[in-house]
């Protein structure tokens, strides 16, 4: 089973700053099967990125995904007030989906 | 507009059963993979189960295998999750979601299951 480790656990930043969230896999991951989600308190998750770097429909271009192998990054180029939330990476392998533990992006 | 509305959650005693439903609209339900996820209070996301478009292929997380059954009725645009032998650790908000086999692009608002 692949374990996804997200870091940091919490990122304290100000609006307008750049955020880089890391997702590390315990084994090599197929890029096509790496996704990122955003979740705000009391809300359902929202798909941001699939295939490691493809933005989902309606996602602003300040969100970008990159990486390969075992290291993946979600970058938010300039934080807007609505971007403060929890972010999860997710992988698929062997008919099973697994999530990382999440990174909280909070207002500094 | 894609809409997924879960129902059927509630309070159940350990060892009991519940059946969750997810009413889908705004897309071609019969051609979509569907998933169930859950999130315990204050915890992260966990995948529970998935089913392919015609219901012929299903998969489960190890933690629910043998206790939960996913199914769908394409004529009614509805997804189900039959949950038996419930345990305290099954307490969570359960989300249905639509997407590909390997990620989900639309999620419902969830239904709370409390096992106590």
């Amino acid at each position: 089973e692949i374990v996804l480790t997200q870091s940091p656990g919490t990122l304290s930043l100000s609006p307008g700053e750049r955020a880089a969230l890391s997702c590390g896999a315990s084994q090599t991951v197929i890029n096509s099967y790496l996704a990122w989600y955003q979740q705000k308190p009391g809300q359902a998750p929202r798909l941001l990125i699939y295939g490691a770097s493809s933005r989902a429909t309606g996602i602003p271009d300040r969100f970008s995904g990159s990486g390969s192998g075992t290291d993946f990054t979600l970058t938010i180029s300039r934080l807007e007030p609505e971007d403060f939330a929890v972010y999860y990476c997710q992988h698929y392998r062997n008919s099973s989906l697994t999530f990382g533990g999440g990174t909280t992006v909070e207002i500094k | 507009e894609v809409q997924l509305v879960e129902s059927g959650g509630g309070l159940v005693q350990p060892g009991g059963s519940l059946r969750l439903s997810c009413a889908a609209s705004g897309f071609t339900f019969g051609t979509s993979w569907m998933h169930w996820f859950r999130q315990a209070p204050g915890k992260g996301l966990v995948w529970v189960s998935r089913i392919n478009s015609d219901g012929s292929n299903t998969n489960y997380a190890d933690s629910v295998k043998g206790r939960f059954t996913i199914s769908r009725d394409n004529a009614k645009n509805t997804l189900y999750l039959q949950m038996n032998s419930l345990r305290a650790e099954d307490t969570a908000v359960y989300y249905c979601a639509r997407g590909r086999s390997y990620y989900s692009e639309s999620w419902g608002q969830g239904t709370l299951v409390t096992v106590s």
Side-chain angles (χ1 to χ4, degrees):
Chain A
E1 179 188 337
I2 292 181
V3 176
L4 299 179
T5 301
Q6 292 188 242
S7 61
T10 302
L11 201 50
S12 297
L13 295 169
S14 300
E17 290 193 293
R18 178 177 176 274
L21 288 65
S22 176
C23 177
S26 58
Q27 301 175 43
T28 298
V29 163
I30 299 172
N31 278 27
S32 300
Y33 295 155
L34 196 286
W36 290 92
Y37 300 85
Q38 175 195 66
Q39 188 178 31
K40 298 178 183 179
Q43 296 186 17
R46 177 173 72 146
L47 176 69
L48 298 175
I49 301 288
Y50 63 94
S53 60
S54 297
R55 270 188 302 277
T57 303
I59 302 303
D61 60 7
R62 64 180 181 273
F63 290 92
S64 63
S66 62
S68 64
T70 60
D71 296 303
F72 296 85
T73 301
L74 174 70
T75 301
I76 310 171
S77 59
R78 287 185 326 279
L79 283 163
E80 296 288 340
E82 62 268 27
D83 298 337
F84 292 91
V86 181
Y87 293 83
Y88 295 95
C89 59
Q90 174 248 298
H91 176 251
Y92 166 83
R93 185 179 184 184
N94 293 337
S95 301
S96 177
L97 285 71
T98 55
F99 288 90
T103 291
T104 299
V105 179
E106 66 175 22
I107 300 176
K108 186 174 181 180
Chain B
E1 179 192 2
V2 173
Q3 282 205 323
L4 297 165
V5 180
E6 301 94 338
S7 61
L11 176 63
V12 62
Q13 292 185 340
S17 298
L18 275 179
R19 187 175 85 153
L20 305 183
S21 299
C22 172
S25 62
F27 65 100
T28 308
F29 180 76
T31 63
S32 296
W33 277 84
M34 297 295 296
H35 299 256
W36 286 101
F37 298 87
R38 68 185 182 185
Q39 187 170 34
K43 302 297 185 182
L45 297 169
V46 175
W47 172 77
V48 173
S49 181
R50 68 173 189 166
I51 187 168
N52 70 339
S53 58
D54 66 5
S56 61
N57 185 0
T58 60
N59 302 104
Y60 300 90
D62 287 344
S63 59
V64 307
K65 204 171 292 184
R67 301 188 298 125
F68 290 12
T69 303
I70 190 172
S71 63
R72 63 192 298 160
D73 185 335
N74 286 349
K76 295 182 177 179
N77 285 356
T78 303
L79 176 72
Y80 302 101
L81 185 68
Q82 177 67 43
M83 304 187 296
N84 299 330
S85 304
L86 283 161
R87 307 166 179 166
E89 55 265 36
D90 295 319
T91 294
V93 173
Y94 284 73
Y95 295 100
C96 71
R98 164 229 181 192
R100 303 294 181 92
S101 62
Y102 48 95
Y103 67 82
S104 289
E105 54 199 9
S106 304
W107 297 59
Q109 285 304 303
T111 186
L112 176 62
V113 172
T114 303
V115 184
S116 177

